[in-house]
Amino acid sequence: MFPNRKLGLILFGAYFVCYAAFVLVNAFAPSAMEHELLSGINLAIATGFGLIALALVLAALYGWLCRGNANRSSVDFGARTEAKERS
């Protein structure tokens, strides 16, 4: 009935795993996040920005993958609405 639901849940699950790992490392091994990478930016800041970038990429990917399903959903909905009006 909702063809994009499964895809959305898969992408959400992937992001949730990444975010949960970030939170757990910050909670239980905060010294690991103090490691400096470039120009004094520590791993916590870099990983946080990485999570934001990942969210944007996953949102774009979801929109791109679902664009073909939008036409089918609207056609199906229109057919169901017409069938209910006839009854």
Side-chain angles (χ1 to χ4, degrees), residues 8-54:
L9 288 174
I10 290 169
L11 294 176
F12 171 76
Y15 186 79
F16 179 77
V17 167
C18 294
Y19 185 74
F22 174 74
V23 170
L24 289 173
V25 169
N26 276 303
F28 296 108
S31 60
M33 289 296 193
E34 294 174 0
H35 178 71
E36 288 189 16
L37 298 176
L38 298 171
S39 302
I41 295 177
N42 63 16
L43 187 59
I45 298 296
T47 310
F49 279 117
L51 284 169
I52 293 169
L54 178 62

Side-chain angles (χ1 to χ4, degrees), residues 78-87:
R80 283 182 275 163
T81 304
E82 290 173 7
K84 284 183 181 180
E85 288 175 355
R86 288 183 211 157
S87 308

